[in-house]
Amino acid sequence: MTLRELKQQRVREQIVEAAFALYAERGFDKVSVTDIAERAQVGRTTFFRYFGDKQEVLFADEQTLVEMFAAGSDAPAPAPRDLAGALLQLWGLTYAKRDIVLGDKKLFPVRQRLIATVPELQDRSGRKMQRIADALEVALRGRGADPELALLAAQIGIACFRVALQTAGEDPEKVMPTMERVVRQVISTASPSA
Amino acid sequence: MTLRELKQQRVREQIVEAAFALYAERGFDKVSVTDIAERAQVGRTTFFRYFGDKQEVLFADEQTLVEMFAAGSDAPAPAPRDLAGALLQLWGLTYAKRDIVLGDKKLFPVRQRLIATVPELQDRSGRKMQRIADALEVALRGRGADPELALLAAQIGIACFRVALQTAGEDPEKVMPTMERVVRQVISTASPSA
DNA sequence: TTCCAAGTGGTACTCAGTACCGTACGGGAT
DNA sequence: ATCCCGTACGGTACTGAGTACCACTTGGAA
């Protein structure tokens, strides 16, 4: 890795760190981009070169997650017809690698608290989910699932993830186990009459 | 209805109409609040008295939808244990009444096109879904569903709705039938192995 | 060392959203 | 019909997000 790239990575981390700290201290809308730039020792302009807006800093891990699912679709499938199994396996593969925020015991609760209190962040979090759903759909299709089913399964996977996040609270360790439990619950209760 | 309320309703409609027209003509971010206010023959300040922000005009029907679900929970439940049935029935009750935008053949496609192209609007649309999910959850619990299951079922209901919207395209007439088809598909395919 | 490309940060601008205030008007009182 | 009060209106002014532009610096290759 060249010196240039190293510097950039450092700047990126400084900004994320500064933003999370300030958001946690004062709340999302009591922090201006200028504040973040100052604490991160960068120009205001530079902030916007690294992150599209004030919110994006919090979701810096989105791209990573999406790529992980994409990579996961190359992994050998255990039971190609079992959608729930494939979904859980993909999730497990991705989750094991950990992403920046989700893997960080400090950052994760801060973000969850912020999302819980700020409507715009709920919106934004939803977009992230949607992008993950898209990646998931592609991954499932890559594993030979029926296209229409893949779309549906991906959306349901996200629905489970939402429930898991809501149930797990602020502990990132609990998310994956809860996710697994919820998926199994879906499978067993979806058709009580059918 | 008093004269005052009549005027307010008229102003509200003027703003919605102006906004949809301008958004359709120029695209969401090429339209300023001032533009909308001018075409609607109101002051800029007044716009913000009726709608919290530029996006909210597009989702003016959110509150109505939520209230419809709330009202629907009072209706007699056909098969209290059949979650899928309850979900479909609630949806049918709500959909039959029609909301402002969803029921309007003109407005619906415009909104769908805008949402498809503008990321922030996707976010916002997601929030609407989430609020509907919340209302749905409450409604399901009101019908005697297990609380944890109600949360899950509501989320899955929304997942189906997303799929239905995506599949139905721009024709509001197709949404409900597609929704029904998708829900049935979930029931029949969720557990191929179980 | 020299030169080019890429990153930086400052200035200046537009526009969203909020606060405040004087004015106008609907609606209930006499 | 008139008066009065509360509410809605619209204008002014402000903060802060996000963008465009530009001059300056610096890493890296020749």
Side-chain angles (χ1 to χ4, degrees):
Chain A
M1 177 173 289
T2 135
L3 175 58
R4 234 190 185 117
E5 288 170 310
L6 262 175
K7 277 195 172 182
Q8 288 184 29
Q9 193 180 319
R10 211 172 302 147
V11 168
R12 201 183 160 81
E13 281 163 13
Q14 278 167 16
I15 294 177
V16 171
E17 200 173 329
F20 267 87
L22 286 171
Y23 287 160
E25 283 174 21
R26 296 186 223 162
F28 184 75
D29 23 336
K30 297 286 177 196
V31 177
S32 74
V33 172
T34 311
D35 295 335
I36 301 174
E38 270 175 14
R39 163 146 355 180
Q41 311 251 43
V42 248
R44 203 182 95 92
T45 317
T46 302
F47 175 92
F48 284 109
R49 251 185 223 107
Y50 281 83
F51 301 96
D53 57 36
K54 240 179 109 178
Q55 308 174 3
E56 200 172 315
V57 198
L58 288 169
F59 300 98
D61 49 1
E62 179 179 310
Q63 193 52 39
T64 315
L65 260 183
V66 169
E67 281 161 13
M68 282 174 175
F69 278 113
S73 63
D74 298 331
R81 303 214 158 274
D82 178 8
L83 267 180
L87 209 145
L88 274 178
Q89 197 214 18
L90 273 173
W91 216 280
L93 283 173
T94 303
Y95 214 90
K97 291 185 201 162
R98 298 312 185 78
D99 71 23
I100 309 163
V101 176
L102 212 52
D104 190 309
K105 283 200 177 54
K106 280 256 186 56
L107 266 34
F108 182 78
V110 172
R111 183 168 72 179
Q112 288 303 103
R113 249 193 297 274
L114 285 169
I115 291 178
T117 47
V118 184
E120 311 124 71
L121 293 180
Q122 286 166 29
D123 296 0
R124 192 55 191 273
S125 164
R127 185 202 297 190
K128 186 184 162 192
M129 300 278 187
Q130 191 50 51
R131 285 204 56 201
I132 293 175
D134 294 343
L136 198 51
E137 185 195 343
V138 173
L140 286 174
R141 263 195 279 140
R143 297 182 149 224
D146 174 77
E148 207 176 311
L149 238 67
L151 169 62
L152 184 54
Q155 286 294 345
I156 291 185
I158 294 300
C160 293
F161 189 42
R162 278 180 213 274
V163 174
L165 273 183
Q166 200 163 327
T167 312
E170 289 178 1
D171 184 358
E173 297 293 333
K174 284 187 185 167
V175 177
M176 186 57 200
T178 313
M179 173 77 187
E180 200 169 325
R181 194 166 59 77
V182 174
V183 172
R184 305 216 177 284
Q185 194 170 31
V186 172
I187 297 171
S188 61
T189 60
S191 52
S193 53
Chain B
M1 179 171 288
T2 138
L3 175 58
R4 227 186 190 123
E5 289 170 308
L6 262 174
K7 277 196 171 181
Q8 287 184 28
Q9 192 180 318
R10 212 171 303 148
V11 168
R12 200 183 160 82
E13 281 162 14
Q14 278 166 15
I15 294 178
V16 171
E17 200 173 329
F20 267 87
L22 287 172
Y23 288 161
E25 283 172 24
R26 295 186 224 161
F28 184 75
D29 24 338
K30 297 285 177 197
V31 177
S32 75
V33 172
T34 311
D35 295 335
I36 301 175
E38 271 174 13
R39 173 168 318 198
Q41 311 251 41
V42 260
R44 205 181 94 93
T45 319
T46 302
F47 175 93
F48 285 109
R49 250 183 223 108
Y50 282 82
F51 300 95
D53 56 38
K54 239 179 112 179
Q55 307 174 4
E56 201 172 315
V57 199
L58 288 169
F59 301 98
D61 51 0
E62 179 179 311
Q63 194 53 38
T64 316
L65 261 184
V66 169
E67 281 161 13
M68 282 174 176
F69 278 114
S73 63
D74 298 333
R81 306 216 157 272
D82 177 8
L83 268 180
L87 207 145
L88 274 178
Q89 196 214 17
L90 274 173
W91 215 279
L93 284 173
T94 303
Y95 214 90
K97 291 185 197 160
R98 298 311 185 78
D99 70 22
I100 310 164
V101 177
L102 213 51
D104 189 309
K105 284 200 175 53
K106 279 256 186 58
L107 265 35
F108 182 78
V110 172
R111 182 168 72 181
Q112 288 304 103
R113 249 193 298 273
L114 285 169
I115 292 177
T117 46
V118 184
E120 310 124 71
L121 293 180
Q122 285 166 29
D123 297 359
R124 191 55 193 274
S125 164
R127 184 202 298 191
K128 185 185 164 192
M129 301 279 188
Q130 189 52 50
R131 284 205 58 201
I132 294 176
D134 293 343
L136 198 52
E137 184 197 345
V138 173
L140 286 174
R141 264 194 279 138
R143 299 181 149 223
D146 173 75
E148 208 177 309
L149 238 68
L151 170 62
L152 184 54
Q155 287 294 345
I156 290 184
I158 295 301
C160 294
F161 189 42
R162 278 182 214 273
V163 174
L165 274 182
Q166 199 163 328
T167 312
E170 288 178 0
D171 184 359
E173 297 292 334
K174 283 188 186 165
V175 177
M176 186 57 200
T178 313
M179 174 78 187
E180 201 168 324
R181 194 167 59 76
V182 173
V183 171
R184 303 216 179 286
Q185 193 170 31
V186 171
I187 297 173
S188 62
T189 59
S191 51
S193 53

